Amino acid sequence: MTNQHRRAFAHALPSPLLGEGRAARLVTPLAILLLAVLFLILPALTARAAMTIQEVKSQKGITAWLVEDHTVPIVAIRFVFDGGTTQDPVGKQGLAHLMTGLFAEGAGDLDSDAFQVKLDDAGAEMSFEAQRDGIYGSMRMLSLRKDAAFDLLRLAVNRPRFDQEPIDRIRAQILSGISASERDPKAIAERKWLRAIYGAHPYSRPDVGTKESLAGVTPADLGAFHKATFARGGLHVAVVGDIDAKRLSEKLDQLFGELPQKQTLSPVADIDPKLGQQVEENYDLPQTSLQLAWPGVKRSAPDYFAVVLMNDILGGSPFTSRLWEEVREKRGLAYGVGSYLVDNEHSHALLVTTATRSDRAAETLSILRQVVKELAEKGPTEAELEASKKYLIGAFPINHLDSSSSIAATLVELQLDNRGIDYIQRRSALIDQVTLEQVKAAAKKLLSAEPAIMVVGPPLGGKG
Protein backbone atom coordinates (compact mmCIF):
# COMPACT_ATOMS: atom_id res chain seq x y z
CA MET A 1 0.00 0.00 0.00
CA THR A 2 2.58 2.45 0.98
CA ASN A 3 4.31 2.40 -2.40
CA GLN A 4 1.17 3.82 -3.98
CA HIS A 5 -0.38 5.95 -1.27
CA ARG A 6 2.61 7.22 0.70
CA ARG A 7 4.33 8.38 -2.47
CA ALA A 8 6.28 11.58 -1.89
CA PHE A 9 5.75 14.54 -4.22
CA ALA A 10 9.33 13.99 -5.35
CA HIS A 11 8.45 10.52 -6.61
CA ALA A 12 5.12 11.35 -8.25
CA LEU A 13 6.27 13.01 -11.45
CA PRO A 14 4.62 11.81 -14.66
CA SER A 15 6.17 8.95 -16.58
CA PRO A 16 7.54 9.82 -20.02
CA LEU A 17 5.11 9.86 -22.91
CA LEU A 18 5.77 6.64 -24.77
CA GLY A 19 3.91 7.45 -27.94
CA GLU A 20 0.58 7.17 -29.68
CA GLY A 21 -0.63 5.34 -32.78
CA ARG A 22 0.17 1.65 -32.52
CA ALA A 23 0.23 1.68 -28.73
CA ALA A 24 -3.29 3.07 -28.68
CA ARG A 25 -4.55 0.28 -30.96
CA LEU A 26 -3.07 -2.34 -28.62
CA VAL A 27 -4.98 -1.17 -25.56
CA THR A 28 -8.07 -3.30 -26.10
CA PRO A 29 -6.27 -6.62 -26.86
CA LEU A 30 -3.93 -5.99 -23.96
CA ALA A 31 -6.84 -5.37 -21.61
CA ILE A 32 -8.47 -8.63 -22.74
CA LEU A 33 -5.22 -10.52 -22.13
CA LEU A 34 -4.84 -9.02 -18.66
CA LEU A 35 -8.42 -9.97 -17.79
CA ALA A 36 -7.79 -13.54 -18.95
CA VAL A 37 -4.73 -13.79 -16.74
CA LEU A 38 -6.71 -12.27 -13.86
CA PHE A 39 -9.37 -14.97 -14.04
CA LEU A 40 -6.67 -17.66 -13.99
CA ILE A 41 -4.95 -16.34 -10.87
CA LEU A 42 -7.95 -14.88 -9.02
CA PRO A 43 -8.80 -18.02 -6.99
CA ALA A 44 -5.30 -18.14 -5.48
CA LEU A 45 -5.33 -14.42 -4.76
CA THR A 46 -8.79 -14.63 -3.19
CA ALA A 47 -7.49 -17.35 -0.89
CA ARG A 48 -4.68 -15.02 0.16
CA ALA A 49 -7.19 -12.26 0.88
CA ALA A 50 -8.79 -14.63 3.41
CA MET A 51 -5.45 -15.53 5.00
CA THR A 52 -4.97 -15.76 8.74
CA ILE A 53 -2.87 -13.06 10.38
CA GLN A 54 -1.46 -13.85 13.81
CA GLU A 55 -0.13 -11.35 16.30
CA VAL A 56 3.11 -12.69 17.76
CA LYS A 57 4.63 -11.14 20.87
CA SER A 58 8.13 -12.01 22.05
CA GLN A 59 9.31 -12.31 25.64
CA LYS A 60 10.86 -8.84 25.40
CA GLY A 61 7.59 -7.33 24.21
CA ILE A 62 8.32 -7.06 20.48
CA THR A 63 5.17 -7.50 18.40
CA ALA A 64 4.91 -8.76 14.83
CA TRP A 65 2.12 -9.78 12.48
CA LEU A 66 2.65 -13.21 11.00
CA VAL A 67 1.14 -15.07 8.06
CA GLU A 68 2.28 -18.68 8.06
CA ASP A 69 2.70 -20.28 4.64
CA HIS A 70 4.51 -23.63 4.61
CA THR A 71 3.80 -24.40 0.94
CA VAL A 72 7.02 -22.69 -0.21
CA PRO A 73 10.34 -22.74 1.73
CA ILE A 74 10.62 -18.95 1.85
CA VAL A 75 10.47 -16.43 4.72
CA ALA A 76 10.01 -12.70 4.16
CA ILE A 77 10.35 -10.07 6.88
CA ARG A 78 9.53 -6.39 6.57
CA PHE A 79 9.99 -3.79 9.30
CA VAL A 80 10.11 -0.04 9.78
CA PHE A 81 11.45 2.31 12.42
CA ASP A 82 9.58 5.60 12.79
CA GLY A 83 11.49 8.72 11.84
CA GLY A 84 12.96 8.68 8.35
CA THR A 85 14.58 11.50 6.44
CA THR A 86 12.65 14.14 8.40
CA GLN A 87 15.08 13.34 11.22
CA ASP A 88 18.16 14.36 9.24
CA PRO A 89 19.97 17.05 11.25
CA VAL A 90 19.91 20.53 9.74
CA GLY A 91 22.98 20.89 7.58
CA LYS A 92 23.41 17.12 7.21
CA GLN A 93 20.49 16.28 4.96
CA GLY A 94 20.89 12.91 3.28
CA LEU A 95 22.30 11.27 6.41
CA ALA A 96 19.45 8.75 6.68
CA HIS A 97 19.70 7.87 3.00
CA LEU A 98 23.46 7.37 3.26
CA MET A 99 23.02 5.21 6.36
CA THR A 100 20.63 2.81 4.62
CA GLY A 101 23.24 2.19 1.94
CA LEU A 102 25.71 0.95 4.57
CA PHE A 103 23.93 -1.86 6.41
CA ALA A 104 25.26 -4.46 3.97
CA GLU A 105 28.73 -2.88 4.08
CA GLY A 106 29.88 -4.52 7.28
CA ALA A 107 28.48 -5.31 10.73
CA GLY A 108 29.84 -6.77 13.92
CA ASP A 109 33.16 -8.50 13.28
CA LEU A 110 32.50 -8.72 9.53
CA ASP A 111 33.86 -6.06 7.19
CA SER A 112 32.11 -5.20 3.94
CA ASP A 113 33.49 -8.06 1.84
CA ALA A 114 33.06 -10.68 4.57
CA PHE A 115 29.48 -9.60 5.30
CA GLN A 116 28.42 -9.77 1.67
CA VAL A 117 30.04 -13.19 1.20
CA LYS A 118 28.10 -14.45 4.23
CA LEU A 119 24.91 -12.94 2.85
CA ASP A 120 25.40 -14.75 -0.45
CA ASP A 121 26.19 -18.00 1.36
CA ALA A 122 22.95 -17.68 3.32
CA GLY A 123 20.97 -17.23 0.10
CA ALA A 124 19.29 -14.12 1.46
CA GLU A 125 18.29 -10.77 -0.03
CA MET A 126 18.51 -7.80 2.35
CA SER A 127 17.59 -4.18 1.71
CA PHE A 128 17.10 -0.92 3.60
CA GLU A 129 15.46 2.30 2.47
CA ALA A 130 15.04 5.75 3.99
CA GLN A 131 11.62 7.25 3.35
CA ARG A 132 10.26 10.52 4.67
CA ASP A 133 8.62 9.09 7.77
CA GLY A 134 10.49 5.85 8.40
CA ILE A 135 13.56 3.69 7.89
CA TYR A 136 12.43 0.49 6.17
CA GLY A 137 14.22 -2.83 6.17
CA SER A 138 13.47 -6.19 4.63
CA MET A 139 14.94 -9.62 4.07
CA ARG A 140 13.84 -12.58 1.99
CA MET A 141 15.47 -15.92 2.71
CA LEU A 142 15.24 -19.67 2.27
CA SER A 143 13.63 -21.16 5.37
CA LEU A 144 16.24 -23.93 5.49
CA ARG A 145 18.93 -21.26 5.98
CA LYS A 146 16.96 -18.78 8.02
CA ASP A 147 19.18 -19.08 11.11
CA ALA A 148 22.21 -17.82 9.20
CA ALA A 149 20.17 -15.15 7.43
CA PHE A 150 18.52 -13.87 10.60
CA ASP A 151 21.92 -13.70 12.30
CA LEU A 152 23.24 -11.44 9.55
CA LEU A 153 20.15 -9.26 9.79
CA ARG A 154 20.67 -9.08 13.57
CA LEU A 155 24.21 -7.81 13.04
CA ALA A 156 23.10 -5.23 10.47
CA VAL A 157 20.31 -3.90 12.69
CA ASN A 158 22.25 -3.84 15.94
CA ARG A 159 25.93 -3.46 15.07
CA PRO A 160 26.48 -1.69 11.73
CA ARG A 161 30.14 -0.75 11.34
CA PHE A 162 29.99 2.48 9.33
CA ASP A 163 33.62 2.05 8.24
CA GLN A 164 35.17 5.00 6.44
CA GLU A 165 35.92 3.23 3.14
CA PRO A 166 32.32 2.12 2.51
CA ILE A 167 31.06 5.52 3.65
CA ASP A 168 33.26 7.25 1.09
CA ARG A 169 32.29 4.80 -1.64
CA ILE A 170 28.53 4.98 -1.08
CA ARG A 171 28.69 8.75 -0.63
CA ALA A 172 30.52 9.04 -3.97
CA GLN A 173 27.75 7.06 -5.66
CA ILE A 174 25.09 9.34 -4.18
CA LEU A 175 27.05 12.45 -5.16
CA SER A 176 27.29 11.14 -8.72
CA GLY A 177 23.52 10.86 -8.84
CA ILE A 178 23.13 14.38 -7.43
CA SER A 179 25.48 15.74 -10.11
CA ALA A 180 23.47 14.01 -12.82
CA SER A 181 20.21 15.41 -11.41
CA GLU A 182 21.58 18.95 -11.67
CA ARG A 183 21.26 18.59 -15.46
CA ASP A 184 17.84 16.93 -15.40
CA PRO A 185 14.91 19.32 -15.95
CA LYS A 186 12.48 17.11 -14.03
CA ALA A 187 14.81 16.80 -11.05
CA ILE A 188 15.37 20.55 -11.03
CA ALA A 189 11.62 21.15 -11.20
CA GLU A 190 11.08 18.57 -8.47
CA ARG A 191 13.30 20.49 -6.05
CA LYS A 192 11.62 23.77 -6.92
CA TRP A 193 8.19 22.16 -6.45
CA LEU A 194 9.04 20.82 -3.00
CA ARG A 195 10.27 24.20 -1.83
CA ALA A 196 7.16 25.92 -3.17
CA ILE A 197 4.77 23.37 -1.68
CA TYR A 198 6.40 22.85 1.72
CA GLY A 199 8.50 25.95 2.38
CA ALA A 200 10.98 25.29 5.21
CA HIS A 201 9.33 22.04 6.37
CA PRO A 202 11.53 18.89 6.35
CA TYR A 203 9.41 17.53 3.49
CA SER A 204 10.89 20.23 1.25
CA ARG A 205 14.39 18.79 1.56
CA PRO A 206 15.78 16.27 -0.96
CA ASP A 207 15.93 12.84 0.70
CA VAL A 208 19.38 12.17 -0.78
CA GLY A 209 20.79 15.42 0.58
CA THR A 210 23.07 17.85 -1.23
CA LYS A 211 26.75 17.90 -2.10
CA GLU A 212 27.38 20.29 0.77
CA SER A 213 25.34 18.43 3.40
CA LEU A 214 26.78 15.01 2.57
CA ALA A 215 30.34 16.26 2.69
CA GLY A 216 30.13 16.81 6.44
CA VAL A 217 28.63 13.43 7.43
CA THR A 218 30.98 11.42 9.66
CA PRO A 219 30.89 7.88 11.10
CA ALA A 220 29.98 9.47 14.43
CA ASP A 221 26.95 11.17 12.83
CA LEU A 222 25.78 7.87 11.40
CA GLY A 223 26.21 6.09 14.71
CA ALA A 224 24.26 8.78 16.57
CA PHE A 225 21.42 8.69 14.02
CA HIS A 226 21.26 4.91 14.23
CA LYS A 227 21.11 5.01 18.02
CA ALA A 228 18.35 7.63 18.01
CA THR A 229 16.08 5.90 15.50
CA PHE A 230 16.68 2.15 15.87
CA ALA A 231 14.67 1.44 19.01
CA ARG A 232 11.89 -0.96 19.90
CA GLY A 233 9.38 1.79 20.69
CA GLY A 234 9.18 2.89 17.05
CA LEU A 235 9.33 -0.56 15.47
CA HIS A 236 6.69 -2.27 13.30
CA VAL A 237 7.26 -5.81 11.97
CA ALA A 238 5.54 -8.26 9.62
CA VAL A 239 6.68 -11.77 8.64
CA VAL A 240 5.28 -14.07 5.96
CA GLY A 241 6.26 -17.59 5.06
CA ASP A 242 7.65 -20.88 6.32
CA ILE A 243 8.00 -20.12 10.04
CA ASP A 244 5.67 -20.70 12.98
CA ALA A 245 4.72 -18.33 15.81
CA LYS A 246 6.95 -19.93 18.45
CA ARG A 247 10.05 -19.77 16.27
CA LEU A 248 9.26 -16.22 15.18
CA SER A 249 8.91 -15.10 18.79
CA GLU A 250 12.46 -16.29 19.44
CA LYS A 251 13.75 -14.61 16.29
CA LEU A 252 12.14 -11.29 17.19
CA ASP A 253 14.14 -11.10 20.41
CA GLN A 254 17.26 -12.20 18.53
CA LEU A 255 16.80 -9.48 15.91
CA PHE A 256 15.56 -6.55 17.95
CA GLY A 257 15.82 -7.43 21.63
CA GLU A 258 19.16 -5.66 22.15
CA LEU A 259 17.90 -2.32 20.86
CA PRO A 260 17.02 0.50 23.28
CA GLN A 261 13.38 0.83 24.25
CA LYS A 262 12.74 4.45 23.22
CA GLN A 263 13.60 6.47 20.15
CA THR A 264 14.97 9.99 20.37
CA LEU A 265 13.17 11.82 17.58
CA SER A 266 12.84 15.50 16.79
CA PRO A 267 9.21 16.68 16.53
CA VAL A 268 7.87 17.22 13.01
CA ALA A 269 4.93 19.56 12.46
CA ASP A 270 1.91 18.76 10.32
CA ILE A 271 1.68 20.90 7.19
CA ASP A 272 -0.86 21.57 4.47
CA PRO A 273 0.75 21.85 1.02
CA LYS A 274 0.65 25.40 -0.29
CA LEU A 275 -1.77 25.26 -3.22
CA GLY A 276 -2.96 27.95 -5.62
CA GLN A 277 0.38 28.51 -7.31
CA GLN A 278 2.06 27.56 -10.58
CA VAL A 279 5.66 26.31 -10.67
CA GLU A 280 7.38 26.22 -14.06
CA GLU A 281 10.72 24.86 -15.17
CA ASN A 282 11.06 26.00 -18.77
CA TYR A 283 13.09 23.78 -21.09
CA ASP A 284 12.89 23.26 -24.81
CA LEU A 285 11.55 19.70 -24.64
CA PRO A 286 9.39 17.76 -27.12
CA GLN A 287 6.97 16.87 -24.32
CA THR A 288 5.74 18.68 -21.25
CA SER A 289 5.17 17.08 -17.87
CA LEU A 290 2.22 18.33 -15.86
CA GLN A 291 1.50 17.81 -12.18
CA LEU A 292 -1.39 19.24 -10.19
CA ALA A 293 -2.03 18.98 -6.46
CA TRP A 294 -5.29 19.26 -4.53
CA PRO A 295 -5.91 18.67 -0.81
CA GLY A 296 -5.95 15.11 0.51
CA VAL A 297 -7.15 13.45 3.71
CA LYS A 298 -5.69 11.39 6.53
CA ARG A 299 -6.32 7.65 6.48
CA SER A 300 -8.07 8.07 9.82
CA ALA A 301 -10.57 10.60 8.40
CA PRO A 302 -14.23 9.51 8.45
CA ASP A 303 -14.55 10.18 4.72
CA TYR A 304 -11.32 8.44 3.74
CA PHE A 305 -12.98 5.66 1.74
CA ALA A 306 -15.25 8.15 0.01
CA VAL A 307 -12.09 9.99 -1.07
CA VAL A 308 -10.49 6.71 -2.22
CA LEU A 309 -13.50 5.97 -4.41
CA MET A 310 -13.62 9.53 -5.73
CA ASN A 311 -9.95 9.37 -6.67
CA ASP A 312 -10.43 6.03 -8.40
CA ILE A 313 -13.21 7.49 -10.53
CA LEU A 314 -11.17 10.59 -11.32
CA GLY A 315 -7.93 8.94 -12.36
CA GLY A 316 -7.00 6.01 -10.14
CA SER A 317 -8.17 3.15 -12.35
CA PRO A 318 -6.42 2.31 -15.61
CA PHE A 319 -8.62 2.30 -18.74
CA THR A 320 -11.84 3.39 -16.97
CA SER A 321 -11.25 6.68 -15.13
CA ARG A 322 -12.57 10.04 -16.31
CA LEU A 323 -9.09 11.42 -16.89
CA TRP A 324 -8.15 8.40 -19.00
CA GLU A 325 -11.33 8.75 -21.04
CA GLU A 326 -11.04 12.49 -21.68
CA VAL A 327 -7.28 12.86 -22.09
CA ARG A 328 -6.23 9.55 -23.61
CA GLU A 329 -9.21 7.95 -25.31
CA LYS A 330 -11.11 10.90 -26.72
CA ARG A 331 -8.23 13.19 -27.64
CA GLY A 332 -5.03 11.09 -27.68
CA LEU A 333 -3.19 13.79 -25.75
CA ALA A 334 -1.15 11.47 -23.55
CA TYR A 335 -0.09 7.88 -23.32
CA GLY A 336 -0.83 7.80 -19.59
CA VAL A 337 -2.68 9.98 -17.11
CA GLY A 338 -3.71 9.32 -13.53
CA SER A 339 -4.42 10.58 -10.05
CA TYR A 340 -2.92 9.46 -6.76
CA LEU A 341 -3.50 9.91 -3.06
CA VAL A 342 -0.32 10.99 -1.33
CA ASP A 343 -0.41 10.01 2.33
CA ASN A 344 2.59 11.11 4.35
CA GLU A 345 2.63 11.15 8.13
CA HIS A 346 2.38 14.94 8.32
CA SER A 347 0.83 16.01 5.02
CA HIS A 348 -1.72 14.75 2.51
CA ALA A 349 -2.64 15.55 -1.08
CA LEU A 350 -4.27 14.32 -4.26
CA LEU A 351 -2.05 14.49 -7.34
CA VAL A 352 -2.91 14.41 -11.03
CA THR A 353 0.00 13.72 -13.39
CA THR A 354 0.52 13.31 -17.12
CA ALA A 355 2.92 14.14 -19.95
CA THR A 356 1.96 15.36 -23.40
CA ARG A 357 3.30 16.95 -26.58
CA SER A 358 4.59 20.38 -25.71
CA ASP A 359 2.52 22.08 -28.41
CA ARG A 360 -0.62 20.69 -26.76
CA ALA A 361 0.34 21.17 -23.12
CA ALA A 362 -1.90 24.19 -22.50
CA GLU A 363 -4.85 22.32 -24.03
CA THR A 364 -4.13 19.25 -21.88
CA LEU A 365 -3.86 21.32 -18.72
CA SER A 366 -7.18 22.96 -19.50
CA ILE A 367 -8.86 19.57 -19.95
CA LEU A 368 -7.39 18.21 -16.73
CA ARG A 369 -8.80 21.16 -14.82
CA GLN A 370 -12.17 20.87 -16.52
CA VAL A 371 -12.51 17.16 -15.68
CA VAL A 372 -11.69 17.89 -12.04
CA LYS A 373 -14.11 20.83 -11.95
CA GLU A 374 -16.99 18.75 -13.32
CA LEU A 375 -16.40 16.01 -10.76
CA ALA A 376 -16.28 18.61 -7.98
CA GLU A 377 -19.51 20.24 -9.08
CA LYS A 378 -21.61 17.23 -10.07
CA GLY A 379 -19.93 14.24 -8.47
CA PRO A 380 -19.83 10.76 -10.01
CA THR A 381 -22.71 8.68 -11.29
CA GLU A 382 -24.13 5.67 -9.49
CA ALA A 383 -22.75 3.43 -12.24
CA GLU A 384 -19.25 4.89 -11.82
CA LEU A 385 -19.39 4.36 -8.08
CA GLU A 386 -20.48 0.73 -8.37
CA ALA A 387 -17.79 -0.02 -10.94
CA SER A 388 -15.17 1.62 -8.72
CA LYS A 389 -16.25 -0.41 -5.69
CA LYS A 390 -15.95 -3.65 -7.63
CA TYR A 391 -12.52 -2.71 -8.94
CA LEU A 392 -11.09 -1.61 -5.59
CA ILE A 393 -12.35 -4.74 -3.84
CA GLY A 394 -11.24 -7.13 -6.58
CA ALA A 395 -7.86 -5.54 -7.29
CA PHE A 396 -6.66 -5.46 -3.69
CA PRO A 397 -5.27 -9.02 -3.62
CA ILE A 398 -3.55 -8.50 -6.98
CA ASN A 399 -1.94 -5.23 -5.95
CA HIS A 400 -1.04 -6.04 -2.36
CA LEU A 401 -1.08 -9.79 -1.72
CA ASP A 402 0.65 -11.29 -4.75
CA SER A 403 3.85 -12.47 -3.01
CA SER A 404 5.27 -13.05 0.44
CA SER A 405 7.21 -9.79 0.24
CA SER A 406 4.19 -7.74 -0.84
CA ILE A 407 2.04 -9.27 1.91
CA ALA A 408 4.68 -8.39 4.51
CA ALA A 409 4.88 -4.84 3.15
CA THR A 410 1.09 -4.50 3.26
CA LEU A 411 0.91 -5.73 6.85
CA VAL A 412 3.53 -3.21 7.97
CA GLU A 413 1.58 -0.38 6.37
CA LEU A 414 -1.61 -1.52 8.07
CA GLN A 415 0.20 -1.31 11.39
CA LEU A 416 1.46 2.19 10.61
CA ASP A 417 -2.09 3.23 9.72
CA ASN A 418 -3.57 1.65 12.88
CA ARG A 419 -5.99 -0.32 10.73
CA GLY A 420 -6.24 -3.34 13.00
CA ILE A 421 -5.25 -6.93 12.37
CA ASP A 422 -8.69 -7.76 10.88
CA TYR A 423 -8.66 -4.89 8.37
CA ILE A 424 -8.30 -7.06 5.27
CA GLN A 425 -11.46 -8.93 6.25
CA ARG A 426 -13.31 -5.65 6.97
CA ARG A 427 -12.08 -3.69 3.97
CA SER A 428 -14.72 -4.81 1.44
CA ALA A 429 -17.55 -3.81 3.76
CA LEU A 430 -15.95 -0.43 4.47
CA ILE A 431 -15.88 0.28 0.74
CA ASP A 432 -19.34 -1.16 0.02
CA GLN A 433 -21.05 1.00 2.63
CA VAL A 434 -19.92 4.30 1.06
CA THR A 435 -22.85 6.16 -0.49
CA LEU A 436 -23.03 8.26 -3.63
CA GLU A 437 -23.76 11.36 -1.56
CA GLN A 438 -20.64 10.79 0.52
CA VAL A 439 -18.46 10.56 -2.61
CA LYS A 440 -20.06 13.70 -4.04
CA ALA A 441 -19.35 15.52 -0.79
CA ALA A 442 -15.73 14.35 -0.83
CA ALA A 443 -15.29 15.54 -4.42
CA LYS A 444 -16.74 18.95 -3.64
CA LYS A 445 -14.67 19.36 -0.47
CA LEU A 446 -11.28 18.52 -2.02
CA LEU A 447 -11.55 19.32 -5.71
CA SER A 448 -13.12 22.75 -5.36
CA ALA A 449 -9.79 24.11 -4.13
CA GLU A 450 -7.42 25.96 -6.46
CA PRO A 451 -4.60 23.48 -7.21
CA ALA A 452 -0.87 23.88 -7.26
CA ILE A 453 0.43 23.26 -10.77
CA MET A 454 3.87 22.24 -11.99
CA VAL A 455 4.92 22.50 -15.63
CA VAL A 456 8.17 21.06 -16.97
CA GLY A 457 8.77 22.01 -20.60
CA PRO A 458 8.48 25.04 -22.86
CA PRO A 459 6.44 28.01 -21.58
CA LEU A 460 2.72 27.37 -21.94
CA GLY A 461 1.91 30.79 -23.29
CA GLY A 462 -0.94 30.89 -20.78
CA LYS A 463 -1.88 29.60 -17.37
CA GLY A 464 -4.33 26.89 -18.42
Side-chain angles (χ1 to χ4, degrees), residues 85 88 91-98 174-175 177-179 181-182 191 205-215 217:
T85 61
D88 283 344
K92 295 193 176 180
Q93 293 89 338
L95 191 154
H97 179 72
L98 174 59
I174 297 171
L175 291 173
I178 292 174
S179 294
S181 73
E182 292 174 347
R191 292 190 290 270
R205 306 183 310 204
D207 290 345
V208 298
T210 65
K211 291 179 178 178
E212 295 75 21
S213 66
L214 286 172
V217 173

Side-chain angles (χ1 to χ4, degrees), residues 421-433:
I421 202 167
D422 61 342
Y423 169 77
I424 292 176
Q425 283 69 44
R426 294 185 292 108
R427 180 179 178 275
S428 296
L430 291 170
I431 292 172
D432 258 336
Q433 69 188 17

Side-chain angles (χ1 to χ4, degrees), residues 47-55 65-68 411 421 425:
R48 279 189 166 169
M51 64 194 173
T52 300
I53 306 171
Q54 306 173 60
E55 185 174 85
W65 288 6
L66 168 66
V67 174
E68 289 189 45
L411 297 186
I421 202 167
Q425 283 69 44

Side-chain angles (χ1 to χ4, degrees), residues 5-282:
H5 299 297
R6 291 180 180 278
R7 200 173 291 176
F9 280 123
H11 299 133
L13 289 170
S15 299
L17 184 67
L18 297 180
E20 300 181 5
R22 183 172 181 270
R25 294 193 293 272
L26 287 174
V27 167
T28 300
L30 176 61
I32 294 171
L33 175 61
L34 290 174
L35 286 173
V37 173
L38 169 61
F39 283 119
L40 288 173
I41 66 174
L42 190 57
L45 293 170
T46 303
R48 279 189 166 169
M51 64 194 173
T52 300
I53 306 171
Q54 306 173 60
E55 185 174 85
V56 177
K57 195 166 186 177
S58 74
Q59 288 188 351
K60 293 187 178 181
I62 300 161
T63 300
W65 288 6
L66 168 66
V67 174
E68 289 189 45
D69 180 0
H70 302 288
T71 60
V72 179
I74 297 290
V75 177
I77 181 170
R78 176 81 163 172
F79 55 91
V80 58
F81 292 96
D82 296 336
T85 61
T86 59
Q87 297 300 307
D88 283 344
V90 175
K92 295 193 176 180
Q93 293 89 338
L95 191 154
H97 179 72
L98 174 59
M99 182 185 72
T100 58
L102 293 166
F103 286 108
E105 297 288 344
D109 296 330
L110 304 173
D111 64 12
S112 177
D113 290 341
F115 187 92
Q116 293 184 38
V117 167
K118 290 274 190 182
L119 196 61
D120 288 342
D121 289 344
E125 301 170 347
M126 185 180 76
S127 66
F128 286 83
E129 179 187 7
Q131 296 187 18
R132 282 180 170 171
D133 301 311
I135 303 294
Y136 287 76
S138 63
M139 179 174 270
R140 191 166 180 263
M141 68 201 81
L142 294 170
S143 56
L144 293 176
R145 306 172 82 173
K146 63 179 175 289
D147 289 342
F150 274 127
D151 191 54
L152 290 169
L153 184 58
R154 174 187 64 82
L155 287 176
V157 167
N158 291 275
R159 299 171 58 196
R161 289 172 62 115
F162 302 136
D163 292 334
Q164 191 65 54
E165 187 279 327
I167 291 174
D168 292 340
R169 176 162 39 81
I170 300 300
R171 175 163 42 202
Q173 294 172 7
I174 297 171
L175 291 173
S176 177
I178 292 174
S179 294
S181 73
E182 292 174 347
R183 302 183 296 274
D184 181 357
K186 287 188 178 181
I188 295 169
E190 189 177 288
R191 292 190 290 270
K192 185 186 292 188
W193 169 264
L194 291 175
R195 290 192 297 269
I197 291 291
Y198 290 125
H201 193 275
Y203 283 168
S204 71
R205 306 183 310 204
D207 290 345
V208 298
T210 65
K211 291 179 178 178
E212 295 75 21
S213 66
L214 286 172
V217 173
T218 66
D221 294 326
L222 293 161
F225 190 93
H226 175 264
K227 182 178 180 181
T229 55
F230 275 49
R232 286 176 282 166
L235 174 65
H236 315 269
V237 187
V239 179
V240 178
D242 188 20
I243 188 171
D244 60 31
K246 182 177 183 298
R247 189 65 170 151
L248 176 59
S249 176
E250 297 168 356
K251 291 299 182 185
L252 290 174
D253 281 342
Q254 174 190 341
L255 290 172
F256 307 112
E258 299 176 16
L259 294 172
Q261 178 57 40
K262 294 184 179 180
Q263 294 180 298
T264 307
L265 300 181
S266 300
V268 178
D270 293 342
I271 184 172
D272 292 324
K274 184 180 178 182
L275 306 179
Q277 60 178 314
Q278 185 154 314
V279 177
E280 294 193 26
E281 189 62 30
N282 295 139

